[in-house]
Amino acid sequence: MASFAELQAAAREQWTAWVNPPRPQLRVGLTTCGKAAGALDTYAALNEAIVEQAAGVDLVRTACLGLCYSEPNVTVVFPDGTAVLHGPVRPANVPDLLQAIRGGRPLERLAVAALSGATTEIEPVDSLDIWKIQVRRLMERCGLQDPESIDHYLATGGYEGLVRALGMKAEEIIQETLDSGLWGRGGAAFPTGRKWDFLRTARGEPKFLVCNADEGDPGAFVNRTLMEGDPHGIIEGMIIAARATGAIRGYIYIRDEYPLDVYRMERAVEQARERGLLGENILGSGTSLDLVVVRGAGSYLCGEETGLISSIQDSRGMPRIRPPFPAQSGLFHKPTNVNNVESYANVPLILRHGVAWYREQGTQRNAGTKMFSLSGRLQRVCVVEVPFGFNTLELLNVAGGGPLPGHQFKGLQSGGPLGGLLPASEISIPLEPEPYRERDVLMGSGGLIALDDTNCIVDLCQWVEWFAEDESCSRCTTCRIGTQRLVEILRRFQSGEGRVSDLERIPLLADTLRWSNCVHGQAAPTAVRNALRYFREELLDHIQRKRCEAGVCRGLIRFEVSPAHARDREVEGAAAACPVDAFRQSEQGWRIDQAACIRCGVCHEVAHEGVRKLAAFPETLPAGTAATPPGQVAAAAGR
Amino acid sequence: MSEVAASHPPLETLLRDVKPNSGHLLKALHLVKEAYGYIPPESVPVVARKLGLTPAAVFGCISFYSELPTTPPPKVEVSWCSGPACRLSGGDEIRRIFEAVLGVPMEGATPDGRVGLHVAQCDGSCCAAPMVWINGRVHGPLTLADAVRIARGLRDGTFEVREEWGHGELR
């Protein structure tokens, strides 16, 4: 087996050919989000054109830089090392792009930024607002290397943290992890070093490590970005954890929805094994670890550590009561340590650069950086890494580009569906667990979803409770029935049958749900509880006035053809688009059969003037108390 | 085994590396699903025997997960993204449009088994929200009119379904 120095030397040769390729190189960002934006079509079009024209360029793969809004991304690298990020590059842009490259230049029209070798026309990437605010440590290599090459990782300092750790005692590694202040990034924020010490001192052999890559929170995709962009960072973290705890086998549990991650992690494990970085007696240190990648099969609860353990060991992925904790009795009833992807990925950085370096970023309470994925009603969907303590609103405005034109932020949904809701007035807070917890919300694993004035809080809560109900394992009656009851209550609000007494029932249900065995049931009512606290007026509007100001709840809205436009061509188009053929024609022109209408709103989208979105119920409150007159639902106009 | 087995590798060959007490159940079920497109109920006793479990335990596990169907998949599967970014931009309206045009509820299929609807989970392709996957390929961001057009095309057989290529094809 080659020594580490030999591995590094061989890897550096590969890396040199990557950053200074002998002929122009086109790197297509191939990740789940890139594919969604059409990166495979772009790749195919490039491939075809390059072969056809014998263009003298190389087509290779890279991952996502986190700039999902500009995908599909193509980075063009010239022999002198100039690297320019282009996006979005569609198949139609391929001829122009190749022509520009033949002339030895990037295609300025599609250039996002220069990753190196900026010119006067193309600004460097670190002058972009979204880049300036970031401290890219975990994401340092994402989108800049071939994620399926261990050599690229090795050549850029990869596995150096491991080499240092292999020269240390288990207690020393744990002490350093504790000193760094690293806590679990999965949401519970428990100190990683302490968890490791539980496993180290636990009785029973063998000991297991588990990497929780079941990133089940809808709207969170930071772990995916890491696994698809830099898989070896996670593996290195797990080997260091093995050294610190004495574990000899590790499982990486990846959710079913991430097949590309399963593929890339399996490949990375294989490569590490080939290089002698996994297996028996790693680099002659006496530490051994082998890793297995397990693919889930579609269950949110497998993200709960005991559910995940059940799922690996041949049974339904149902969480169980703790204690015993996994460190006492986990996988196959042996001591087990479960950490999140991002937690493991932080470890090599701490070991390689030291505690002092690690603590330079972040706050006193929360050291280091955290990745966040931004989605929802924003200008830009993206994944960014910022130090702890960064202002949430600023992140949404700078990285996310702010609200969509003509709209305002209404709130924020963080920490997954069970993490809760904050109103816009409360989101100018530091990104740290504490300020969120003070507001009865969870910062969680990194998903931040922005809401704007076109979104209805009742509808969002109903979605949250539907999700909680759908994913409940049904073991605890509180969770199984509590979530159902919440869905029923919220559906009543949405259909105009809400009762004021429901508002008292919700806290009662939330209290009852607290008696569920796992966090799924306990956290299920968070969003509804937040809605009662922060959006009470909007709930009352639904119940008492039967109004959905955002124009979302289908029982509280109706669509009508405006009499003045009843004969317009536009309305004819709307009639043709109606999926249930609810438009009727008479001498007066078009009208909508309300009994047939499913309130999907396609007619209003097609004929914005001709078809109006109105409140379903006449004004029911006594005169003088109504906030807005009946009629057009104002805020919904932009939808 | 029924006629299912005739055109596929025999289960014994497929499951030769599967061992009891090793956490191989999900792996075994994925192997079966990959080969057959679903988990044929006849395969359950075989999987159970290989793993030293009862068929009931294996079936209990299958029914727990949402991506292990026990009936053949429709020829065209529309997986509707149930995630929040889609929901906040008209995802629920898109679901209603697909259901209404195709005349089937979620997790149902047209009587000829040609087009089916499936509730899928967010995989972070939120730059395409609101979206659906049609046989694995992302379609989005969709306007409501797009959804009507696609759903009608699927109903009438005029929508060209392009399969997504796997990542293996890039090498």
Side-chain angles (χ1 to χ4, degrees), chain B residues 80-118:
Chain B
W80 166 76
C81 182
S82 62
C86 290
R87 175 79 175 211
L88 295 175
S89 296
D92 202 48
E93 286 77 5
I94 287 170
R95 174 182 63 78
R96 299 209 290 269
I97 287 171
F98 272 94
E99 288 179 332
V101 173
L102 294 167
V104 293
M106 295 312 288
E107 306 300 344
T110 51
D112 57 6
R114 205 167 44 85
V115 187
L117 298 178
H118 175 56

Side-chain angles (χ1 to χ4, degrees), chain A residues 228-546:
Chain A
E228 290 174 0
D230 198 16
H232 284 284
I234 302 152
I235 294 173
E236 187 183 351
M238 290 186 79
I239 310 172
I240 295 169
R243 174 76 177 177
T245 60
I248 55 151
R249 200 174 169 80
Y251 290 82
I252 303 171
Y253 187 96
I254 305 177
R255 69 196 286 240
D256 186 61
E257 288 80 356
Y258 289 176
L260 182 61
D261 302 51
V262 172
Y263 175 79
R264 288 208 174 139
M265 288 308 297
E266 273 179 349
R267 234 178 116 71
V269 166
E270 231 168 79
Q271 289 173 343
R273 210 179 276 142
E274 278 164 17
R275 299 291 200 286
L277 296 166
L278 278 176
E280 295 283 315
N281 194 13
I282 294 164
L283 298 172
S285 64
T287 290
S288 301
L289 179 74
D290 205 7
L291 291 179
V292 181
V293 175
V294 179
R295 180 175 178 181
S299 164
Y300 180 65
L301 273 183
C302 294
E304 200 279 347
E305 61 177 9
T306 59
L308 193 154
I309 287 170
S310 305
S311 179
I312 296 178
Q313 54 192 23
D314 299 350
S315 61
R316 295 163 69 90
M318 290 164 74
R320 61 159 177 77
I321 300 172
R322 295 176 300 183
F325 289 93
Q328 301 157 320
S329 173
L331 199 55
F332 306 116
H333 307 291
K334 299 291 179 193
T336 304
N337 173 64
V338 186
N339 280 137
N340 173 267
V341 166
E342 203 181 330
S343 314
Y344 280 125
N346 266 292
V347 174
L349 298 172
I350 298 165
L351 269 289
R352 183 173 154 219
H353 299 286
V355 170
W357 172 86
Y358 189 79
R359 296 195 69 102
E360 274 169 22
Q361 295 293 339
T363 63
Q364 195 56 38
R365 283 183 301 193
N366 302 290
T369 55
K370 173 87 190 78
M371 288 168 69
F372 293 96
S373 57
L374 274 56
S375 66
R377 304 289 293 174
L378 284 167
Q379 306 235 12
R380 298 197 291 227
V381 173
C382 57
V383 181
V384 291
E385 182 181 353
V386 290
F388 278 111
F390 196 88
N391 184 284
T392 310
L393 183 60
E394 194 184 341
L395 191 71
L396 295 180
N397 280 329
V398 177
L404 293 165
H407 297 281
Q408 294 92 43
F409 284 139
K410 180 172 185 169
L412 176 75
Q413 206 269 296
S414 68
L418 313 186
L421 289 171
L422 280 176
S425 57
E426 295 280 335
I427 57 179
S428 187
I429 54 174
L431 281 159
E432 287 183 276
E434 296 83 2
Y436 279 77
R437 215 177 292 134
E438 281 161 23
R439 289 164 177 79
D440 192 24
V441 173
L442 188 71
M443 187 189 80
S445 60
L448 299 176
I449 299 149
L451 322 181
D452 72 8
D453 49 353
T454 65
N455 300 135
C456 168
I457 293 302
V458 176
D459 185 62
L460 188 71
C461 287
Q462 191 254 315
W463 170 76
V464 167
E465 297 314 326
W466 164 80
F467 181 84
E469 179 201 355
D470 200 47
E471 295 290 347
S472 168
C473 84
S474 299
R475 173 172 283 172
C476 310
T477 315
T478 43
C479 176
R480 181 177 70 240
I481 297 174
T483 52
Q484 274 181 23
R485 296 288 294 122
L486 283 171
V487 172
E488 279 170 26
I489 290 173
L490 291 161
R491 289 225 166 110
R492 277 212 292 268
F493 292 0
Q494 292 195 288
S495 61
E497 291 158 21
R499 308 164 192 163
V500 181
S501 61
D502 286 337
L503 292 184
E504 288 155 30
R505 202 163 287 150
I506 289 172
L508 197 65
L509 273 167
D511 278 349
T512 314
L513 273 155
R514 266 216 294 269
W515 296 97
S516 307
N517 280 335
C518 85
V519 73
H520 183 84
Q522 292 160 11
T526 313
V528 192
R529 210 170 48 217
N530 297 152
L532 270 181
R533 174 166 166 191
Y534 298 116
F535 296 98
R536 201 181 175 86
E537 283 305 308
E538 192 169 341
L539 262 55
L540 279 171
D541 248 13
H542 280 71
I543 300 167
Q544 294 179 325
R545 297 180 51 231
K546 310 209 185 303

Side-chain angles (χ1 to χ4, degrees), chain A residues 10 17 19 46 49 53 65 75 95 131 164 183 203 243 264 266 326 357 362 409 425 456 470 530 557 594:
Chain A
V19 286
L46 279 168
Q53 304 174 8
L65 287 150
T75 307
W131 206 274
R164 184 165 163 253
W183 46 256
R203 291 170 54 175
R243 174 76 177 177
R264 288 208 174 139
E266 273 179 349
W357 172 86
F409 284 139
S425 57
C456 168
D470 200 47
N530 297 152
I557 54 167
Q594 296 299 327

Side-chain angles (χ1 to χ4, degrees), chain B residues 44-106:
Chain B
V44 172
V46 186
V47 172
R49 183 159 40 77
K50 293 291 276 184
L51 289 162
L53 298 169
T54 63
V58 173
F59 191 78
C61 180
I62 293 170
S63 66
F64 181 78
Y65 299 98
S66 51
E67 301 296 335
L68 297 174
T70 50
T71 50
K75 211 162 142 259
V76 180
E77 186 168 63
V78 179
S79 295
W80 166 76
C81 182
S82 62
C86 290
R87 175 79 175 211
L88 295 175
S89 296
D92 202 48
E93 286 77 5
I94 287 170
R95 174 182 63 78
R96 299 209 290 269
I97 287 171
F98 272 94
E99 288 179 332
V101 173
L102 294 167
V104 293
M106 295 312 288

